[in-house]
Amino acid sequence: MTAVRCVDLCKTYRQGDEDIKALDHVSIDIEEAGFVCLSAPSGGGKTTLLNAIGGLDMPDSGEVWVADRRIDQMSKGELAELRLSSIGFVFQAYNLIPVLTARENIEFVMQVQGVPAKQRAEQSLAILEEVGLSGLEDRRPAEMSGGQQQRVAVARAIVSRPALVLADEPTANLDSKTSDELMTLFTELNRHHNTTFVIATHDQRVMRYAKRLVRMLDGRIVDDIAQDAA
Amino acid sequence: MRMLPVLTRLAWRYLWRNHRRTIIMVSAISVGVWSMIFMTALSRGMVDQVIEDGVSALPGHVQVHNPKFLDDPSVVNRIPIGDAELSRAFSSTDFKAWASRVRVPAVIASEYESRGVTLLGIDPVAEREFGYLSYDDVEGRFLEDADDNGIVIGRKLADKLETRVGKRVVLMSQDPDNEIADRGFRIVGLFDAEVPAFEEGNVFIGKRTAQKMLHIGDTTTEIVFLGDNYRDIEPTYDKVLASIDGSLDVSRWSEVATYLGSMLTVMDGFVLIFMVVIFLALSFGLVNTLVMAVFERVREIGLMLALGMKPSNILGQIIIESMLLLLVGLVIGNLLAVATIHPLRGGIDISVVAEGMEMMGAASVLYPRLYVSDMILANVIVLFLGFLASLSPAWRASRYEPVEAITKVG
Amino acid sequence: MNIVARLAWRNLWRHRRRTWLTVGAMVFSNTLLVFMISMQFGMYDLMIDNTLKVFTGHMQVQAPGYKDDQKMRQTVPDIVPLAGRLRAEFPTEKIAARGWAFALASSEERSYGVGIFGVEPEYEPQVSSIPGLIAEGRYLQQSDAPEIVIGAVLARNLRVGIGDELTLLGSGRDGSFAAAVATVVGIFESGVPDVDRSFAQMPIVAFQDVFFMEGAGHQVVISAPTLEEAERILPDIDAALPSDEGLVMHDWDALQPGLKQAIKADMSSAFFMYGILVVLVAFSVLNTQLMSVLERTHEFGIVMSLGLKPGQLGRLVMLETAMLGLIGFVLGAIGGVIVTSYFSANGLSIPGMEEMAANFNLPPRIYFQATPWTMAIGPFVVFVFTLLAAVYPALRLHKLHPVEAMRVN
């Protein structure tokens, strides 16, 4: 079964006087429990592809399927519902809601989903432990380091056990040691929970962890190789 | 509804993220709300007093006259039903208080001066409840019964007539045949009144003395009834209508004194306009605050959308934030209003403008009146219009595209 | 425009919506202030004018004590010659003599107490609006004829018309019984029920005969072309009064003390509301400018590290505020002028207010008084408070340290 299927996606942006082809007839299948790195230089189209998979952005043409549901024709409300139930996000920065504590940030999604308070508390504390942040649950984002913040973001992304986690340059603001820790965490989660990871990055160290490496250039997939993860 | 606790917590936290802005806005709302309630209490105090004094100067919340009497207040246009018959007619109805009285224009003359006055022939026992005069505060004594032969006049009138308790005055009016009806009286009492015009313009004699003087048997010119209070007279009005001869004119006080009646209406309109104007002045700041609050967290809104929050939740969050801001301002504003009005309940001395107040029919001490209904009105106006004002910024906030919002630079 | 001014102007438009909302608050308040103040002063003028022109005039010569007691024997002796002499000395003023008494007026069917003015038929029309309000018949002509004009409500109540006779009963100057018969020659209708119900006028010489006045009266009424002129000429007329009789001169404020006080009372409640409006605008500006300073902390840090002093930055903030205030001032004043000139041309009538207006001698339709002062004062005060509101944000700049400031964001 495929977790994600993209068929012939096209997306063009206008920047100044220039048309930029962010996606140029992109087709890709991502298997369940996959661990995929999308790598491309800046403007290569990886973020656009990621956003299209997450239903954050609509392609101009083509089809996007997530868990055997076609999402490129869904309404905003349906997309929101889908993201809430089946997709976790980790962004490059500004991942957390600054007025909420670590634990509240994690519980936020569950709360929106309507999970009862007791279950929320249990799950959020468990997941904080899993990402190695026990004891920091009452800190606000401003009181945590960049790595800690990203861990909270990961915890939030996986707390409701989504089938798919999309991460866009999750290590861009982290030093190498912290990056490694984060990627190790991703790998473990992938292994233990069979969660599909799609990570957009241009960080070589991150690519090492991928089971499958997809290279993009100017909106096209130029390379798609399976590799032994680090 | 499920989202309400989440959204409320978020809104509350966001409210205090930029505490300086929130404090400024809360101050503005508090001042605005305080001014709405404070100003209304003062105006209400003044107008209520004018109306209450006015109502007590023409005592009786519901009045019955000969239909021609109000335009032509002559003894000719009296009520053709005698007192004996009235007592029989009303014996079965439980009026709070009622009285029949002779009320006609007259001239009073001392040995030096004459003045025009309203002659009130009353039964002091039946009218005690009407409360327009405290019988015990009269210098000398008040009338004792309907057969009293004395006269009680206002102190100001006595000054102008150069007379005093114990002296004689002559009252002149007309009888039903337009013969001059006059009679000498000994002044037995002088009264003081809040409103100078009442003190100068009314003289009291016994009802039966007046009936004898005017040769009208046991008839009178008006029958008056007391309601529970002057704002709530409809039950009494209906009862009177049901129990009185249909050819007579039954009026509420607001119809007898249309000026006072219209004052009440104008006042209600004024209060509403004043509150709305103050709110409008506030609304610019409110919208501005919300616009800024949205602007500085566009990215976070994008994040919430990306995480699966629906646009309607974003809309709700901003509106809740606006409501919380208003609520904090309202609480402080209301407390402030109560705290400033309470010490003034003993009255504000405005005797510097006493004669101006007299021109408006008011006394020289102003008692603020804080009505719960006015407070509720102010709060409802602020919340309701505040809700409307926050719709636009909230709507805009909910329309962001998650990608654009997240990738927004700055 | 120099570079600082240009910088200030550009900064102002970095947040268009915010700037317009702040300006909007100013424009709203300014327009409202211009509107209200113009209406208010238009109303006051009318109140004064209409009240004074009914009976009072701008000033009166009276016997001492008459103003408060209005007793018959507090008289001005030889009042008609005195009025004549004053007329000759002050040709620009309108001057007329009057007596006043209270009497019971009886027709065939009814009797009512009325106040009776003895007036000079020739001169009374110059100091009072009543002679001009004759709705039926004519005004008085000869000063010794036994004629009387009465108000419309009184005529209706007494059931008399033109040509009918009224019997007057009252007390004379010495307290003795006074009685006379006079023919109704005219009926006036002022529209104010109290005036139309309670007054009558007869020629002064006939009045003096009826009430044993022996040539005396109670008031010499003087009307000047304008209120200001009245205030200016009062001392001159006072000096021209016969010195031996102790006559006193009262200006309109003394004669109608309620008037100025009613205006004062109304003003204080109006100014309370204006004050609140101004304070709310000031809060709005304070909020905007404080935000604008705080969000530029980083930027200010850079400029300060380049050598700009906090004071200079403070001036920049004040300049921005002044520009903001100026836009609000100009737009608000324009809005106010448009609204006001419309109402000063067409008048404003508020449904339901007619009766209250009549109580203050106001017509049902109010024309605004549009002067540069009434138009400018509101917006000006708002402008001043706008600048004051920016002082705190500007002073905060002094607490800024360049390095720390740059670390923000």
Side-chain angles (χ1 to χ4, degrees):
Chain A
M1 197 170 140
T2 50
V4 177
R5 161 171 291 178
C6 297
V7 184
D8 208 21
L9 293 183
C10 289
K11 176 88 184 175
T12 309
Y13 288 114
R14 213 173 156 73
Q15 196 171 56
D17 291 335
E18 250 179 295
D19 280 336
I20 295 178
K21 282 190 175 170
L23 295 177
D24 190 3
H25 301 281
V26 171
S27 296
I28 185 173
D29 281 10
I30 296 170
E31 64 285 9
E32 218 166 81
F35 197 104
V36 181
C37 255
L38 295 174
S39 91
S42 283
K46 58 185 186 301
T47 299
T48 312
L49 182 57
L50 210 59
N51 287 342
I53 295 171
L56 292 175
D57 205 359
M58 287 294 155
D60 296 337
S61 65
E63 295 170 14
V64 182
W65 298 74
V66 172
D68 296 328
R69 292 171 70 199
R70 184 164 177 188
I71 70 164
D72 55 292
Q73 287 169 339
M74 282 184 178
S75 72
K76 277 190 176 181
E78 285 172 309
L79 284 172
E81 206 61 53
L82 174 82
R83 285 198 294 269
L84 197 57
S85 58
S86 339
I87 305 178
F89 278 97
V90 181
F91 297 103
Q92 174 179 343
Y94 308 113
N95 254 311
L96 303 178
I97 298 166
V99 295
L100 299 181
T101 63
R103 192 175 129 191
E104 285 167 339
N105 261 290
I106 294 167
E107 287 191 26
F108 178 74
V109 174
M110 287 190 280
Q111 219 166 346
V112 177
Q113 287 170 329
V115 178
K118 192 159 166 275
Q119 191 186 338
R120 284 205 308 262
E122 283 168 10
Q123 274 183 278
S124 62
L125 289 175
I127 203 88
L128 272 167
E129 198 178 337
E130 192 169 351
V131 300
L133 286 178
S134 289
L136 299 185
E137 58 265 21
D138 288 330
R139 292 211 186 163
R140 293 206 185 185
E143 298 159 343
M144 291 186 281
S145 72
Q148 288 169 333
Q149 288 186 35
Q150 286 304 71
R151 278 165 184 272
V152 176
V154 172
R156 185 190 55 203
I158 60 170
V159 68
S160 44
R161 303 285 173 229
L164 175 65
V165 171
L166 303 174
D168 188 4
E169 305 272 17
T171 60
N173 294 331
L174 305 180
D175 58 35
S176 57
K177 180 168 170 281
T178 322
S179 294
D180 282 333
E181 285 169 8
L182 187 68
M183 289 317 294
T184 310
L185 178 63
F186 278 4
T187 314
E188 282 167 10
L189 290 170
N190 174 250
R191 206 172 296 146
H192 293 149
H193 304 300
N194 282 340
T195 311
T196 309
F197 276 81
V198 182
I199 302 163
T201 187
H202 58 258
D203 186 340
Q204 294 292 337
R205 287 184 322 249
V206 171
M207 296 173 205
R208 291 206 317 263
Y209 291 86
K211 295 194 247 173
R212 178 178 169 194
L213 186 59
V214 177
R215 288 186 196 278
M216 292 181 73
L217 188 64
D218 297 335
R220 271 178 302 209
I221 294 177
V222 292
D223 205 3
D224 188 345
I225 49 168
Q227 62 178 27
D228 288 332
Chain B
M1 261 314 152
R2 179 163 59 76
M3 296 295 293
L4 205 60
V6 196
L7 296 181
T8 307
R9 172 162 2 140
L10 268 177
W12 181 255
R13 296 265 178 89
Y14 269 120
L15 204 54
W16 298 105
R17 177 152 74 149
N18 200 328
H19 64 275
R20 277 196 199 85
R21 183 175 62 212
T22 298
I23 287 170
I24 293 175
M25 200 52 220
V26 163
S27 316
I29 297 169
S30 307
V31 168
V33 171
W34 168 78
S35 74
M36 287 180 193
I37 299 174
F38 187 76
M39 181 77 173
T40 303
L42 288 192
S43 315
R44 285 280 190 216
M46 198 185 99
V47 169
D48 281 6
Q49 202 165 27
V50 171
I51 293 173
E52 278 159 26
D53 288 344
V55 171
S56 69
L58 71 156
H61 298 152
V62 177
Q63 310 188 355
V64 175
H65 299 101
N66 180 316
K68 291 188 209 153
F69 182 81
L70 287 178
D71 184 54
D72 183 10
S74 159
V75 70
V76 177
N77 297 323
R78 64 193 180 283
I79 293 168
I81 306 168
D83 281 338
E85 209 179 324
L86 283 179
S87 303
R88 272 198 304 280
F90 295 152
S91 58
S92 56
T93 319
D94 58 329
F95 290 115
K96 187 180 169 205
W98 73 275
S100 68
R101 62 165 88 108
V102 178
R103 174 196 182 93
V104 287
V107 173
I108 186 169
S110 69
E111 50 197 302
Y112 306 106
E113 292 283 330
S114 20
R115 284 288 187 275
V117 290
T118 298
L119 178 165
L120 288 157
I122 63 164
D123 178 348
V125 183
E127 300 220 357
R128 183 178 273 276
E129 288 234 27
F130 283 77
Y132 47 89
L133 264 189
S134 161
Y135 293 177
D136 299 333
D137 294 343
V138 168
E139 181 193 327
R141 65 167 176 86
F142 195 65
L143 303 175
E144 279 160 353
D145 53 45
D147 291 305
D148 202 308
N149 280 324
I151 186 169
V152 176
I153 70 173
R155 187 180 306 282
K156 280 221 169 61
L157 182 63
D159 287 347
K160 293 212 165 164
L161 294 173
E162 296 182 64
T163 186
R164 56 188 150 78
V165 173
K167 291 280 215 172
R168 287 185 71 81
V169 289
V170 175
L171 265 188
M172 280 184 282
S173 187
Q174 67 162 128
D175 72 8
D177 302 321
N178 197 29
E179 295 301 322
I180 298 294
D182 58 350
R183 198 196 137 125
F185 288 89
R186 189 171 298 283
I187 299 176
V188 296
L190 296 183
F191 69 85
D192 301 278
E194 283 272 333
V195 179
F198 185 78
E199 202 176 308
E200 245 177 90
N202 295 289
V203 302
F204 295 90
I205 63 174
K207 177 163 79 175
R208 271 190 285 279
T209 313
Q211 286 167 335
K212 262 180 253 161
M213 166 183 159
L214 299 172
H215 314 120
I216 51 173
D218 72 340
T219 60
T220 50
T221 63
E222 73 183 14
I223 314 168
V224 290
F225 302 84
L226 219 47
D228 287 333
N229 70 63
Y230 71 96
R231 280 172 186 269
D232 181 24
I233 58 165
E234 287 311 309
T236 310
Y237 180 78
D238 294 338
K239 262 192 266 178
V240 175
L241 264 190
S243 48
I244 202 93
D245 185 308
S247 68
L248 292 174
D249 179 61
V250 181
S251 3
R252 304 167 180 89
W253 64 265
S254 55
E255 293 161 329
V256 179
T258 45
Y259 165 64
L260 295 177
S262 73
M263 209 159 166
L264 204 57
T265 326
V266 168
M267 183 59 204
D268 285 340
F270 166 78
V271 165
L272 192 66
I273 291 174
F274 176 73
M275 287 180 178
V276 170
V277 162
I278 293 293
F279 177 82
L280 286 179
L282 267 179
S283 65
F284 291 95
L286 177 68
V287 174
N288 211 347
T289 301
L290 294 178
V291 167
M292 283 191 259
V294 169
F295 178 81
E296 69 194 10
R297 60 168 190 271
V298 171
R299 255 190 319 239
E300 291 144 45
I301 290 171
L303 174 68
M304 290 180 208
L305 287 169
L307 290 179
M309 225 183 192
K310 293 196 184 69
S312 62
N313 292 331
I314 304 292
L315 183 93
Q317 187 197 326
I318 303 296
I319 287 180
I320 291 173
E321 192 170 331
S322 161
M323 293 291 113
L324 287 176
L325 181 66
L326 289 171
L327 275 174
V328 174
L330 280 172
V331 168
I332 298 176
N334 281 305
L335 290 178
L336 216 58
V338 173
T340 46
I341 293 169
H342 192 69
L344 298 174
R345 70 195 182 285
I348 307 163
D349 184 11
I350 47 165
S351 50
V352 275
V353 290
E355 277 144 319
M357 289 291 132
E358 190 188 329
M359 197 165 163
M360 300 188 219
S364 59
V365 179
L366 178 56
Y367 299 93
R369 288 277 173 90
L370 183 57
Y371 285 117
V372 175
S373 60
D374 285 336
M375 278 181 96
I376 292 175
L377 182 69
N379 286 279
V380 167
I381 284 181
V382 170
L383 283 177
F384 177 67
L385 295 182
F387 172 77
L388 291 185
S390 42
L391 278 179
S392 152
W395 174 255
R396 289 166 69 105
S398 72
R399 290 298 100 181
Y400 282 115
E401 291 295 332
V403 175
E404 284 164 32
I406 293 174
T407 52
K408 176 180 167 289
V409 183
Chain C
M1 246 200 304
N2 72 27
I3 182 78
V4 180
R6 205 179 303 157
L7 187 62
W9 182 256
R10 299 246 173 97
N11 280 336
L12 213 50
W13 299 105
R14 281 173 29 169
H15 286 271
R16 279 172 181 283
R17 244 158 93 78
R18 183 168 72 193
T19 300
W20 279 122
L21 279 166
T22 314
V23 167
M26 289 182 204
V27 172
F28 173 78
S29 300
N30 284 345
T31 306
L32 201 70
L33 285 174
V34 172
F35 172 83
M36 301 274 293
I37 292 175
S38 301
M39 175 169 83
Q40 221 186 332
F41 285 90
M43 240 163 60
Y44 295 159
D45 273 16
L46 276 175
M47 258 168 86
I48 295 173
D49 248 33
N50 291 355
T51 308
L52 296 187
K53 83 179 180 209
V54 180
F55 290 121
T56 315
H58 289 138
M59 55 198 123
Q60 292 186 4
V61 179
Q62 297 177 349
Y66 181 79
K67 177 169 72 76
D68 298 318
D69 304 335
Q70 288 188 309
K71 287 172 184 161
M72 278 296 274
R73 59 193 151 76
Q74 294 166 321
T75 57
V76 178
D78 298 320
I79 194 163
V80 175
L82 173 65
R85 186 165 67 74
L86 291 176
R87 259 194 299 275
E89 273 182 60
F90 300 95
T92 53
E93 318 305 313
K94 312 292 184 213
I95 299 171
R98 275 190 205 145
W100 188 86
F102 190 83
L104 184 72
S106 303
S107 65
E108 296 267 315
E109 293 178 63
R110 295 281 192 279
S111 302
Y112 283 104
V114 283
I116 296 180
F117 282 105
V119 299
E120 295 184 276
E122 199 181 334
Y123 301 106
E124 182 69 12
Q126 300 176 348
V127 297
S128 157
S129 58
I130 296 295
L133 297 169
I134 297 290
E136 234 184 292
R138 61 168 172 81
Y139 192 61
L140 307 170
Q141 284 168 343
Q142 283 168 295
S143 62
D144 56 353
E147 297 173 342
I148 193 164
V149 294
I150 62 177
V153 177
L154 185 62
R156 201 169 68 229
N157 286 349
L158 285 170
R159 310 198 161 188
V160 294
I162 306 297
D164 291 340
E165 287 186 339
L166 284 184
T167 309
L168 306 175
L169 294 178
S171 341
R173 182 167 79 138
D174 49 5
S176 59
F177 184 71
V181 174
T183 308
V184 177
V185 296
I187 293 170
F188 63 82
E189 185 156 17
S190 69
V192 182
D194 265 355
V195 171
D196 293 346
R197 178 183 296 128
S198 39
F199 291 104
Q201 295 191 345
M202 59 190 295
I204 189 156
V205 175
F207 174 90
Q208 288 168 333
D209 285 348
V210 174
F211 295 97
F212 314 113
M213 297 299 292
E214 292 167 5
H218 294 108
Q219 42 187 250
V220 178
V221 185
I222 300 157
S223 268
T226 62
L227 269 185
E228 295 75 32
E229 163 78 4
E231 274 164 37
R232 200 182 52 71
I233 199 126
L234 186 137
D236 297 347
I237 303 182
D238 197 20
L241 295 177
S243 51
D244 51 336
E245 280 146 9
L247 294 179
V248 290
M249 189 77 169
H250 296 297
D251 63 6
W252 65 270
D253 185 29
L255 294 165
Q256 292 276 0
L259 201 52
K260 253 192 187 166
Q261 292 177 1
I263 289 173
K264 253 193 234 161
D266 184 70
M267 264 200 197
S268 46
S269 68
F271 279 109
F272 176 83
M273 176 168 167
Y274 302 162
I276 296 294
L277 279 179
V278 171
V279 167
L280 292 183
V281 172
F283 271 120
S284 223
V285 173
L286 172 61
N287 210 345
T288 301
Q289 292 310 84
L290 190 62
M291 287 307 109
S292 133
V293 165
L294 291 179
E295 74 196 7
R296 282 186 283 169
T297 302
H298 179 74
E299 195 177 313
F300 283 153
I302 296 174
V303 194
M304 274 164 74
S305 67
L306 296 178
L308 243 69
K309 295 190 193 73
Q312 287 169 307
L313 285 175
R315 275 202 291 283
L316 178 71
V317 170
M318 292 308 285
L319 188 62
E320 285 172 32
T321 314
M323 285 173 168
L324 192 70
L326 215 56
I327 301 173
F329 183 98
V330 171
L331 293 183
I334 290 174
V337 168
I338 292 171
V339 174
T340 309
S341 28
Y342 175 81
F343 284 114
S344 54
N346 299 300
L348 168 75
S349 79
I350 303 165
M353 284 281 285
E354 293 87 354
E355 214 161 337
M356 288 198 69
N359 210 49
F360 293 97
N361 293 319
L362 287 172
R365 188 166 281 270
I366 291 161
Y367 291 86
F368 285 22
Q369 189 192 53
T371 66
W373 189 82
T374 61
M375 303 244 192
I377 182 71
F380 179 74
V381 172
V382 168
F383 183 72
V384 170
F385 273 79
T386 299
L387 288 183
L388 285 178
V391 168
Y392 170 66
L395 284 181
R396 271 194 65 88
L397 291 169
H398 287 271
K399 287 209 248 160
L400 227 57
H401 295 286
V403 181
E404 282 172 27
M406 276 193 290
R407 215 181 288 141
V408 173
N409 277 5

